[in-house]
């Protein structure tokens, strides 16, 4: 069964606009962590933001914020004030115990 | 080194040959992971090491795939009798583990991957 679902294969956003990348997950473990990674065309994987299952507040890191809705099992990434350099693949990941599994990714295109 | 190092960066091999991919994690990172990423796809979990032991081998696609880790550091992923469907980027990642504050949310640190092409 798919544990991490990213339903948007591709997204377009105008430069300086905000964009939301969707992620839903499935787990029965009460303790888990959710991560977002960025993969530019160079191929490197860059950690962006983390949300723990017990965290009371939504995580924020600069222009990145995570819209965590625990009851709906969703952990959407919000990028504010998009920049051309934000064009990349974005992966949502969930850590259960020591295992981290990834969604299929969303390719974001930022238009000038 | 400062980051996760993988070698070779590119490997072209003929179908049926064996290949070895190497990963040198960040010093002090006890957990090491191997993932496979096919072109334009997500990351497929292969195997996880905690120290030298592999408590989770559930992602290895077939018995042609094996991995080991020695000295709690370098890991080698071996693919025997390679097939064309093995062509992909093989990514290694490490993370720190333990009981300190913030340890549970430590992210994976990835290498740049080995691009394997089986002809």
């Amino acid at each position: 069964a798919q544990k991490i679902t990213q339903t948007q294969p591709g997204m377009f956003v105008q430069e300086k606009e905000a964009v939301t990348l969707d992620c839903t997950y499935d787990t029965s473990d009460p303790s888990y962590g959710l991560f977002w990674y960025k993969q530019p065309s160079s191929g490197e994987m860059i950690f962006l933001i983390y949300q723990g299952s017990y965290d009371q507040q939504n995580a924020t890191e600069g222009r990145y914020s995570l819209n965590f809705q625990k009851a709906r099992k969703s952990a959407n990434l919000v990028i504010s004030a998009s920049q051309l350099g934000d064009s990349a693949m974005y992966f949502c990941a969930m850590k259960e115990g020591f295992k981290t599994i990834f969604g299929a990714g969303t390719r974001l295109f930022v238009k000038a | 080194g400062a980051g996760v190092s993988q070698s070779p960066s590119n490997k072209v091999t003929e179908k049926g040959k064996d290949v070895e991919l190497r990963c040198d994690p960040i010093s002090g990172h006890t957990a090491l992971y191997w993932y496979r990423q096919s072109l334009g796809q997500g990351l497929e979990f292969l195997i996880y090491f905690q120290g030298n032991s592999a408590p989770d081998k559930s992602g290895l696609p077939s018995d042609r795939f094996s991995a080991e880790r020695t000295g709690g550091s370098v890991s080698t992923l071996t693919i025997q009798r390679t097939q064309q469907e093995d062509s992909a980027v093989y990514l290694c990642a490490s993370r720190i583990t333990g009981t300190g504050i913030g340890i549970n949310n430590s992210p994976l640190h990835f290498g740049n991957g080995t691009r394997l092409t089986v002809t």
Side-chain angles (χ1 to χ4, degrees):
Chain A
Q2 186 74 293
K3 288 215 162 187
I4 298 282
T5 303
Q6 295 181 253
T7 58
Q8 308 151 312
M11 288 281 287
F12 286 87
V13 65
Q14 194 67 40
E15 192 179 11
K16 299 177 185 167
E17 299 286 316
V19 64
T20 298
L21 306 184
D22 295 342
C23 174
T24 57
Y25 59 91
D26 183 27
T27 181
S28 56
D29 191 336
S31 178
Y32 54 89
L34 298 157
F35 299 80
W36 278 90
Y37 292 84
K38 172 184 178 181
Q39 187 178 44
S41 56
S42 58
E44 62 190 302
M45 290 286 285
I46 302 167
F47 164 68
L48 296 178
I49 195 167
Y50 166 84
Q51 180 84 44
S53 59
Y54 295 118
D55 292 345
Q56 296 296 310
Q57 294 187 325
N58 287 342
T60 60
E61 287 287 348
R63 295 187 299 110
Y64 304 108
S65 61
L66 205 152
N67 184 0
F68 182 45
Q69 298 187 43
K70 192 171 182 177
R72 296 180 61 184
K73 295 187 175 178
S74 74
N76 299 340
L77 176 70
V78 180
I79 306 174
S80 63
S82 296
Q83 302 171 356
L84 295 178
D86 293 337
S87 294
M89 280 288 286
Y90 289 82
F91 291 100
C92 179
M94 178 173 68
K95 177 176 165 289
E96 284 182 303
F98 288 112
K99 188 171 179 177
T100 299
I101 56 173
F102 287 76
T106 295
R107 183 169 295 280
L108 178 66
F109 299 92
V110 180
K111 300 182 291 184
Chain B
V4 177
S5 177
Q6 290 188 248
S7 61
S9 55
N10 280 284
K11 176 72 177 178
V12 180
T13 190
E14 292 180 352
K15 177 181 173 182
K17 301 278 190 180
D18 298 352
V19 294
E20 280 190 357
L21 313 180
R22 176 188 167 105
C23 173
D24 197 346
I26 293 173
S27 178
H29 281 197
T30 53
L32 185 147
Y33 301 76
W34 283 98
Y35 291 88
R36 178 168 72 175
Q37 187 176 28
S38 300
L39 188 62
Q41 302 298 311
L43 277 70
E44 175 189 4
F45 170 80
L46 297 179
I47 190 170
Y48 150 72
F49 287 92
Q50 179 63 29
N52 290 337
S53 64
D56 193 339
K57 304 180 182 180
S58 62
L60 293 176
S62 74
D63 58 8
R64 295 186 296 105
F65 287 73
S66 63
E68 65 175 14
R69 188 180 185 194
T70 55
S73 181
V74 172
S75 176
T76 303
L77 177 69
T78 301
I79 309 173
Q80 296 178 307
R81 304 181 303 282
T82 52
Q83 304 294 312
Q84 288 184 329
E85 61 263 28
D86 299 335
S87 296
V89 175
Y90 289 81
L91 290 164
C92 175
S94 69
R95 61 182 290 269
I96 197 165
T97 60
T99 56
I101 293 173
I103 288 296
N104 195 43
N105 61 359
S106 62
L108 294 173
H109 296 261
F110 284 86
N112 288 330
T114 292
R115 182 175 299 279
L116 176 66
T117 304
V118 182
T119 61

